[in-house]
Amino acid sequence: MFSKACEYGIKATIYIAVKSMRQERVSLKEIAEEVDSPVAFTAKILQSLAKNGIIDSHKGPTGGFQIEETKIDTIKLHDIVHAIDGDKIFSGCGLGLEQCDARQPCPVHDKFVGIRDNLKIMLQNTSLYELATGLEIGLTHLKR
Amino acid sequence: MFSKACEYGIKATIYIAVKSMRQERVSLKEIAEEVDSPVAFTAKILQSLAKNGIIDSHKGPTGGFQIEETKIDTIKLHDIVHAIDGDKIFSGCGLGLEQCDARQPCPVHDKFVGIRDNLKIMLQNTSLYELATGLEIGLTHLKR
DNA sequence: TTTATTTAGGATAAATTTGTCCGAAATAAG
DNA sequence: CTTATTTCGGACAAATTTATCCTAAATAAA
Ligand code: FES
Ligand code: FES
């Protein structure tokens, strides 16, 4: 469904959000540990999330990653997925036709667009805040 | 969403079904042309679909692929996807945890399982027959 | 200013998926 | 039986995704 990069990116962002709600910055190393992801690969993903304005990064001692507290509520899962995996998942054809077009649909078009739209709506309606809260109160987990 | 192999496999199976409804066998070459897929790669996929009992293959002149007509109605999209991509897409965790477990859910679990189940239900309810019919009457298309 | 720490970013490597090539096996028809 | 045709299946190659390594740049603190 999502790429590995996207999976790591979502988990990392949620973890950063939890820390940011306590006004704490968190290092790449700690993120990778808590999220159970390869350090250097995670670095690339965070870099791209920073460029997309989803997270902030600071170099140097006491540096690390954080998210503006006011943003935590407005950032949606959709923003993270879109930043990493692009929008092929939201608008691409289920059978790989160059573009999904209802006027020249592939055989699964009618059945597929419903699922695809549900996914999009779900991601657009899911805030980073609720995901971070669920993690903080111990309801959810980032690794097994 | 689906792998390239799965996309090709679905399109190929639908095309074979259309021909089979006219009691015609169809060659690999023709399939790859009509489905716009690489010939040799398509061969592998068809081989695996044949092993899974979804399609029949015959060697030699006048050989090719076909589907038992009585099966066309009972084969579901789910069977094709499952044969090629396995069931990770139906039961795997949205964030890549080793297994999806409601008793130790990842942050997106509650939101994700609904989408995943919808997809599964859709695939289970979609018969090869209706996909083939849509193609035959010119309502849908396998390439652009 | 020097040093230690942390992210940035380019180069490279490993793993997986996608795709190709070619000879073997089956089989229909002359 | 011989030949032509078609799928089977193993080996190989290319492309993409995932992952690592190393140096540079920024920056906080001594
Ligand atoms: S054309 Fe294939 S999903 Fe719309
Ligand atoms: S645990 Fe992640 S989707 Fe169920």
Side-chain angles (χ1 to χ4, degrees), chain A residues 92-95 97 99-101 104-106 109 112-113 116, chain B residues 144:
Chain A
C93 167
L95 294 187
L97 297 192
Q99 68 164 355
C100 171
D101 179 356
Q104 196 135 4
C106 75
H109 177 86
F112 185 74
V113 289
R116 205 184 57 189
Chain B
R144 180 124 306 147

Side-chain angles (χ1 to χ4, degrees), chain A residues 12-134:
Chain A
T13 306
I14 295 171
Y15 184 72
I16 298 169
V18 168
K19 291 291 190 164
S20 296
M21 291 191 299
R22 301 183 204 146
Q23 285 78 42
E24 286 177 33
R25 243 178 232 165
V26 58
S27 73
L28 166 64
K29 193 181 155 199
E30 181 181 337
I31 294 168
E33 267 163 16
E34 293 300 320
V35 155
D36 196 25
S37 61
V39 180
F41 190 38
T42 306
K44 304 287 188 198
I45 299 160
L46 294 178
Q47 222 173 114
S48 128
L49 287 171
K51 278 184 182 159
N52 277 275
I54 293 172
I55 64 179
D56 296 322
S57 71
H58 282 83
K59 293 180 182 174
T62 79
F65 298 89
Q66 70 185 139
I67 303 176
E68 257 182 69
E69 215 169 352
T70 62
K71 272 191 179 173
I72 294 178
D73 196 61
T74 62
I75 293 172
K76 309 295 183 188
L77 208 35
H78 177 275
D79 303 322
I80 304 170
V81 172
H82 188 271
I84 300 173
D85 278 353
D87 55 27
K88 196 177 155 197
I89 190 173
F90 302 118
S91 58
C93 167
L95 294 187
L97 297 192
E98 284 179 16
Q99 68 164 355
C100 171
D101 179 356
R103 290 165 308 180
Q104 196 135 4
C106 75
V108 306
H109 177 86
D110 286 350
K111 307 259 184 177
F112 185 74
V113 289
I115 305 289
R116 205 184 57 189
D117 290 350
N118 280 349
L119 175 64
K120 185 171 188 172
I121 290 167
M122 181 275 271
L123 295 174
Q124 281 172 335
N125 288 342
T126 303
S127 70
L128 183 52
Y129 177 78
E130 59 184 306
L131 298 175
T133 303

Side-chain angles (χ1 to χ4, degrees), chain A residues 144, chain B residues 92-97 99-102 104-110 112-113 116:
Chain A
R144 181 124 302 148
Chain B
C93 167
L95 295 187
L97 297 191
Q99 68 165 356
C100 171
D101 179 357
Q104 197 135 1
C106 76
V108 306
H109 178 85
D110 286 351
F112 185 74
V113 289
R116 205 184 56 190

Side-chain angles (χ1 to χ4, degrees), chain A residues 1-2 4 7 10-11 14 77 94-97 99-101 104-108 111-112 115 118-119 122 125-126 130-131 139-144, chain B residues 1-2 4 7 10-11 14 77 94-97 99-101 104-108 111-112 115 118-119 122 125-126 130-131 139-144:
Chain A
M1 182 75 80
F2 304 125
K4 232 46 179 142
E7 290 176 0
I10 293 171
K11 293 197 280 186
I14 295 171
L77 208 35
L95 294 187
L97 297 192
Q99 68 164 355
C100 171
D101 179 356
Q104 196 135 4
C106 75
V108 306
K111 307 259 184 177
F112 185 74
I115 305 289
N118 280 349
L119 175 64
M122 181 275 271
N125 288 342
T126 303
E130 59 184 306
L131 298 175
L139 206 68
T140 63
H141 308 267
L142 292 177
K143 54 182 178 183
R144 181 124 302 148
Chain B
M1 181 75 80
F2 305 125
K4 234 42 180 145
E7 290 175 1
I10 293 170
K11 292 198 280 186
I14 295 171
L77 207 36
L95 295 187
L97 297 191
Q99 68 165 356
C100 171
D101 179 357
Q104 197 135 1
C106 76
V108 306
K111 306 259 184 177
F112 185 74
I115 305 288
N118 279 350
L119 175 63
M122 181 274 271
N125 288 342
T126 303
E130 59 183 304
L131 297 175
L139 206 67
T140 63
H141 307 269
L142 292 178
K143 54 182 179 183
R144 180 124 306 147

